[in-house]
Amino acid sequence: LLCFRTSLFTALIFHLLLQPPLTQLSIITQPNIVLLMADDLGIGDVGCYGNDTIRTPNIDRLAKEGVRLTQHIAAAPLCTPSRAAFLTGRYPLRSGMDAINNYRVIFWNAGSGGLPPNETTFAKILQQQGYSTGLIGKWHQGVNCESHNDHCHHPLNHGFDYFYGMPFTLISDCQPTEPPEMDRAFRRKLWLSTQMICLLTLTAALGRLTGLIPVSWKMVTCLAGFSLLFFISWFSSYGFVPYWNCIMMRNHDITEQPMVIERTTALILRESISFIERNKHKPFLLFLSFLHSHTPLLTTEKFLGRSSHGLYGDNVEEMDWMVGQVLDAVDKEGLQNATLVYFASDHGGWLERQEGKRQLGGWNGIYRGGKAMGGWEGGIRVPGIFRWPGVLPAGTVIDEPTSLMDIYPTVVHLAGGLLPQDRVIDGRDLMPLLQGRVEHSEHEFLFHYCGIHLHAVRWHQKHSGAIWKAHYVTPVFRPLGAGGCYDKGFCPCFGGGVTHHDPPLLFDLSRDPSEAKALSADTEPLFDTVLRKIGRAVEEHRRTLTPVPEQLSVYNVVWKPWLQPCCGTFPFCWCDKEGDN
């Protein structure tokens, strides 16, 4: 009997030792999670997605050692709503983070809109599961609600134990040598209006002095007072954008106001590596939200002039180097096999972003359209790479529809948490697909919004392999024949700048990923059947939507002095604590 038990035990040990490495998932119940998100990076800017002129060896290494998704979709084509969906696993209009107007992102640190406190981010659930949670880099989900320090929208109020970075987003206004970027067209109108009012006031004063115009000095004084008040009303905000928006924070404290851009990259990298080192003995979540590759394309001297794509290419190559530094930090601490690493972009590259002949936005490869375009693939199809040695099969490519919203249920399940039961979660757990335990994505339909306006719907017809995409609304490209809205700098979601299609434009992305030639009833026998199926899916989807407060309403996005984060006594907001250190 003893010999039998010994033999049985020995056989069991050999059986366990001979198990393939994919079973390690059952051993590592709470892996470390490192989420790397680029800003405005086009899918065509990365080597493993077909670019052979911008060098991205570290991102490419992630793909070689892990799983690369070729149909990874952002829930929105702009920063604020896309990141809200990423953090909550829900379409952004469910949380009020998509706009009914042309203000489609958070515009000011001193606005009152932002990710609602009643939304449950994946960071909050992982925090409850015992994870150390950190956000380094860009936030862009709002700061305050009612006072300058209530921090109702702040990362620390959404499940992050530690925050270092920009509560806003990087913009060209943060770099004094660059032309202003924020609300540029509106600013021109304000300047023009101010000049016209001043000219009217000066004309009235000269007319009174010469007696050519019968106007009283009281009227001239009123005009002068109105001119001054009008100028102050807008210049107090737009005239000081670097002080109001270009700030750096550590947790609740402002460290730089305005930020010193020459050292920003080094500080973000230092903070990321430090977070890994501090938390190596317990499960951690690090969300490194890069400021790269958003304009003004902050690039250190070491990388300037290295790429064949000018400043934009230099910036992407520097970001790739930062990815490598973070991966090296994980490996140095011996955490490689216990860490899930994910890399993506928040949406597609910005085609229209140019200064003269300089192209400052990204490239979206073979895909049509770009940033701000809710339906076209170029605005929403992004890189998506996972690496977890021993758990995810290396060198795998998956061509199934997936979403940035899928990260939410994926990391929650890995951490041993439970999804909220009181709300709709639109994301799906990706682990079965990533490990090859299932063949198809759980997504049958994905809905592509531009603001609150439904522009397109994707139907994954699993049994046939077809990926049908119906466009109800598309932006009007100008000039004619161009691939973007170069006349505006941004494609709109509604109004005269869009075209409504009835019947919708229909494409099969499995045959025409570039959306080059729309199908018709004459060229596609299933045309009517597909559109009816998609139409019914839209009706069902809309029944799941409930009214919520609009976080990006005009009132919520305007600058409010009483909400302005300030490291001094408002309006004297200036500090450099990093320099002091």
Side-chain angles (χ1 to χ4, degrees), residues 20 148 187 274 295 392 418 443 487 528 558:
H148 74 280
R187 273 202 246 191
S274 175
T295 49
L392 301 183
L418 297 175
H443 290 290
D487 59 329
D528 293 325
V558 297

mmCIF file of all heavy atoms in Angstrom, residues 20 148 187 274 295 392 418 443 487 528 558:
data_model
loop_
_atom_site.group_PDB
_atom_site.id
_atom_site.type_symbol
_atom_site.label_atom_id
_atom_site.label_comp_id
_atom_site.label_asym_id
_atom_site.label_seq_id
_atom_site.Cartn_x
_atom_site.Cartn_y
_atom_site.Cartn_z
ATOM 1 N N PRO A 20 1.709 22.213 -19.516
ATOM 2 C CA PRO A 20 2.179 23.352 -20.311
ATOM 3 C C PRO A 20 2.126 24.632 -19.488
ATOM 4 O O PRO A 20 1.351 24.746 -18.546
ATOM 5 C CB PRO A 20 1.176 23.414 -21.488
ATOM 6 C CG PRO A 20 -0.027 22.688 -21.008
ATOM 7 C CD PRO A 20 0.477 21.635 -20.082
ATOM 8 N N HIS A 148 -12.235 74.823 -5.621
ATOM 9 C CA HIS A 148 -10.937 74.635 -6.265
ATOM 10 C C HIS A 148 -10.161 73.443 -5.711
ATOM 11 O O HIS A 148 -9.131 73.060 -6.271
ATOM 12 C CB HIS A 148 -10.087 75.905 -6.130
ATOM 13 C CG HIS A 148 -9.532 76.126 -4.754
ATOM 14 N ND1 HIS A 148 -10.285 76.660 -3.734
ATOM 15 C CD2 HIS A 148 -8.303 75.869 -4.243
ATOM 16 C CE1 HIS A 148 -9.543 76.731 -2.646
ATOM 17 N NE2 HIS A 148 -8.344 76.265 -2.920
ATOM 18 N N ARG A 187 -10.552 81.846 -30.511
ATOM 19 C CA ARG A 187 -9.689 82.926 -30.026
ATOM 20 C C ARG A 187 -9.521 84.020 -31.081
ATOM 21 O O ARG A 187 -9.502 85.214 -30.757
ATOM 22 C CB ARG A 187 -8.323 82.374 -29.632
ATOM 23 C CG ARG A 187 -8.272 81.886 -28.208
ATOM 24 C CD ARG A 187 -6.833 81.867 -27.723
ATOM 25 N NE ARG A 187 -6.392 80.525 -27.464
ATOM 26 C CZ ARG A 187 -5.264 80.227 -26.838
ATOM 27 N NH1 ARG A 187 -4.468 81.187 -26.438
ATOM 28 N NH2 ARG A 187 -4.923 78.982 -26.621
ATOM 29 N N SER A 274 9.885 54.201 -10.329
ATOM 30 C CA SER A 274 9.844 54.255 -8.866
ATOM 31 C C SER A 274 8.605 53.553 -8.322
ATOM 32 O O SER A 274 8.669 52.852 -7.297
ATOM 33 C CB SER A 274 9.873 55.715 -8.400
ATOM 34 O OG SER A 274 9.724 55.807 -7.001
ATOM 35 N N THR A 295 0.587 66.734 -29.703
ATOM 36 C CA THR A 295 1.281 68.011 -29.854
ATOM 37 C C THR A 295 1.346 68.700 -28.490
ATOM 38 O O THR A 295 0.447 68.535 -27.672
ATOM 39 C CB THR A 295 0.526 68.915 -30.858
ATOM 40 O OG1 THR A 295 -0.857 68.939 -30.516
ATOM 41 C CG2 THR A 295 0.714 68.424 -32.272
ATOM 42 N N LEU A 392 0.216 33.869 -21.794
ATOM 43 C CA LEU A 392 -0.288 34.177 -23.132
ATOM 44 C C LEU A 392 0.706 33.666 -24.162
ATOM 45 O O LEU A 392 1.920 33.861 -24.020
ATOM 46 C CB LEU A 392 -0.480 35.690 -23.288
ATOM 47 C CG LEU A 392 -1.451 36.356 -22.308
ATOM 48 C CD1 LEU A 392 -1.579 37.840 -22.637
ATOM 49 C CD2 LEU A 392 -2.815 35.689 -22.346
ATOM 50 N N LEU A 418 -15.268 41.519 -8.710
ATOM 51 C CA LEU A 418 -16.573 41.300 -9.339
ATOM 52 C C LEU A 418 -16.988 42.549 -10.097
ATOM 53 O O LEU A 418 -16.779 43.679 -9.627
ATOM 54 C CB LEU A 418 -17.629 40.973 -8.276
ATOM 55 C CG LEU A 418 -17.416 39.681 -7.475
ATOM 56 C CD1 LEU A 418 -18.476 39.555 -6.383
ATOM 57 C CD2 LEU A 418 -17.444 38.462 -8.396
ATOM 58 N N HIS A 443 -17.879 40.015 -28.733
ATOM 59 C CA HIS A 443 -18.601 41.151 -29.303
ATOM 60 C C HIS A 443 -19.278 40.752 -30.612
ATOM 61 O O HIS A 443 -18.610 40.368 -31.577
ATOM 62 C CB HIS A 443 -17.652 42.318 -29.577
ATOM 63 C CG HIS A 443 -17.134 42.979 -28.340
ATOM 64 N ND1 HIS A 443 -17.923 43.747 -27.517
ATOM 65 C CD2 HIS A 443 -15.895 42.976 -27.785
ATOM 66 C CE1 HIS A 443 -17.190 44.200 -26.516
ATOM 67 N NE2 HIS A 443 -15.965 43.748 -26.647
ATOM 68 N N ASP A 487 -10.183 71.918 -43.706
ATOM 69 C CA ASP A 487 -10.674 73.290 -43.619
ATOM 70 C C ASP A 487 -10.994 73.683 -42.176
ATOM 71 O O ASP A 487 -10.922 74.852 -41.811
ATOM 72 C CB ASP A 487 -11.923 73.469 -44.488
ATOM 73 C CG ASP A 487 -13.055 72.530 -44.084
ATOM 74 O OD1 ASP A 487 -12.768 71.406 -43.606
ATOM 75 O OD2 ASP A 487 -14.236 72.913 -44.235
ATOM 76 N N ASP A 528 -29.747 44.032 -47.824
ATOM 77 C CA ASP A 528 -30.942 44.367 -47.037
ATOM 78 C C ASP A 528 -31.001 43.568 -45.737
ATOM 79 O O ASP A 528 -31.376 44.105 -44.686
ATOM 80 C CB ASP A 528 -32.207 44.124 -47.864
ATOM 81 C CG ASP A 528 -32.320 45.087 -49.036
ATOM 82 O OD1 ASP A 528 -31.905 46.251 -48.877
ATOM 83 O OD2 ASP A 528 -32.791 44.668 -50.109
ATOM 84 N N VAL A 558 -16.825 75.374 -19.581
ATOM 85 C CA VAL A 558 -16.256 76.726 -19.552
ATOM 86 C C VAL A 558 -15.370 76.910 -18.328
ATOM 87 O O VAL A 558 -15.528 76.228 -17.302
ATOM 88 C CB VAL A 558 -17.359 77.811 -19.563
ATOM 89 C CG1 VAL A 558 -18.161 77.756 -20.842
ATOM 90 C CG2 VAL A 558 -18.248 77.698 -18.340
#
